[in-house]
Amino acid sequence: MFPSMPNDDPWDAEASQQVARMNPGRPKAGAFGAVPDEEEDKSGAIDVDVEDDEFEEIEVVPVRRSLSAAIGGFAALLATALVIGSLVTGPGARTSYVIVLFGVQSLGLLAWIMALQPPAAAATAGIVAVTALAADYLAATGEPGALTPLLLTALGGFVAAMIAQVIRAEDRQRAKDSWRTTLLIVAGVSAYSILITLTRVPLGAQAILVCCVGAGMALLVARLTDAVFPKPRIALQVPRGATGIVLGAMLGTLAGALLGSYLIFPFTPTKGAVLGLVAAVAAHLIDLAVNFGEAGRRLAGDAPTFWLARHMQGPLGGFALTAFTAYLLLHWYLV
């Protein structure tokens, strides 16, 4: 009736047909054309499978009670040897303590070489052993309390070990990625020489006593607690409990405070507690770092190392850092 009136409704039947012709691949409107039910179901099934795979990959490592108790006992024996050796050492009787420390250094060297597996392992072990002997000699005969000769000796041993590792082509490729491992081995072995230096200065033996007792008490209590109550777990892949770590640090601090109350000036219960706490934390850090490193190698699919070396490197590394900590606390906190 009104042929000249324009079509103002853009969604009438003719406009919809034109849109459908311009988009031939578009699904038709209807109950099933606008909702891709099958595709959503497939994507949901894929998400469930992915989540199941992620949960299956998590491996819970059980806590071996006898092993935890044995590691704690080894830490206690090591602390006892270091403390007694420092107390019986005199101006003319350092040879026995040097022999004891070189035995500990050799034990740590074998453990770290087998556990960390650096390139050119035999050559690296020989160079580090010579470095340890040189550091012990300088600590026993050099200037009392001097730390610089020991640092230079360790640096020279590290450079020599790196040179030995780049001689062969197959070792050269690994040496670029394992220089940190070599540095840790050289530093850990050489750190025990600091204890000889401490025995030649006033209050050095007392500092060794407080720090080694604090570190040994912390490791012993933590490991024994893990054998009884390893909860809450630090990580599912690491067989350690937070209760033992906290309790070990507390009792290590308490042991330092008790020793500080009986030792001569400038030791006090407060200063003894500080030394015990710092030594306990340092020992715990190295011990936990070893545990997490072993868990990382296990997750990466690497072959496990010899079990004795794998479990001894935690206490050995903890007391190596404790020796360096005792030197710093003596010169920067006590004196």
Side-chain angles (χ1 to χ4, degrees):
M1 183 175 179
F2 301 99
S4 62
M5 182 178 294
N7 187 10
D8 296 332
D9 187 7
W11 300 106
D12 61 354
E14 295 181 0
S16 300
Q17 292 177 0
Q18 292 179 1
V19 172
R21 294 191 191 98
M22 294 174 61
N23 298 279
R26 183 177 180 179
K28 297 180 180 180
F32 301 98
V35 182
D37 295 335
E38 295 181 358
E39 294 182 0
E40 290 184 357
D41 293 339
K42 292 181 180 179
S43 62
I46 293 175
D47 294 339
V48 172
D49 294 338
V50 171
E51 292 179 358
D52 292 341
D53 294 340
E54 291 179 356
F55 284 112
E56 290 177 358
E57 291 179 357
I58 300 177
E59 178 186 2
V60 181
V61 178
V63 179
R64 300 170 58 184
R65 297 184 176 181
S66 58
L67 179 61
S68 296
I71 295 175
F74 173 72
L77 290 176
L78 186 57
T80 303
L82 296 178
V83 169
I84 294 178
S86 65
L87 294 178
V88 301
T89 299
R94 296 192 182 94
T95 304
S96 59
Y97 195 43
V98 171
I99 294 174
V100 171
L101 285 180
F102 183 72
V104 176
Q105 288 171 320
S106 301
L107 190 62
L109 176 60
L110 293 176
W112 291 321
I113 288 292
M114 288 188 290
L116 300 179
Q117 298 179 355
T124 301
I127 292 173
V128 176
V130 173
T131 303
L133 282 174
D136 292 343
Y137 177 79
L138 292 176
T141 60
E143 182 181 357
L147 185 62
T148 303
L150 303 183
L151 295 178
L152 294 178
T153 303
L155 181 60
F158 169 69
V159 173
M162 291 301 300
I163 293 175
Q165 292 178 5
V166 299
I167 293 178
R168 299 194 306 174
E170 56 270 21
D171 295 331
R172 190 181 307 119
Q173 296 177 356
R174 295 180 53 201
K176 297 179 181 178
D177 299 327
S178 63
W179 65 270
R180 298 179 184 85
T181 299
T182 305
L183 181 60
L184 287 176
I185 295 173
V186 176
V189 173
S190 302
Y192 281 96
S193 301
I194 300 176
L195 297 177
I196 303 175
T197 301
L198 288 176
T199 59
R200 302 182 60 194
V201 298
L203 302 176
Q206 290 85 344
I208 294 175
L209 171 63
V210 176
C211 290
C212 287
V213 168
M217 180 65 70
L219 294 178
L220 175 62
V221 172
R223 291 293 186 170
L224 292 180
T225 305
D226 289 340
V228 178
F229 186 75
K231 297 178 181 180
R233 292 287 293 269
I234 296 295
L236 296 179
Q237 299 85 1
V238 179
R240 300 297 305 275
T243 302
I245 295 172
V246 174
L247 187 60
M250 293 173 61
L251 293 182
T253 305
L254 178 61
L258 291 176
L259 290 174
S261 63
Y262 287 103
L263 295 176
I264 62 175
F265 182 82
F267 281 97
T268 61
T270 302
K271 292 185 176 180
V274 171
L275 265 67
L277 175 61
V278 174
V281 171
H284 273 321
L285 287 177
I286 298 298
D287 197 21
L288 287 175
V290 170
N291 295 140
F292 276 96
E294 290 296 330
R297 282 191 288 270
R298 191 186 305 112
L299 292 177
D302 296 340
T305 57
F306 183 52
W307 67 272
L308 187 60
R310 185 168 65 251
H311 300 304
M312 285 194 309
Q313 58 176 335
L316 289 169
F319 282 102
L321 183 59
T322 299
F324 183 71
T325 302
Y327 184 91
L328 295 182
L329 290 174
L330 175 63
H331 289 82
W332 291 354
Y333 180 67
L334 290 177
V335 180

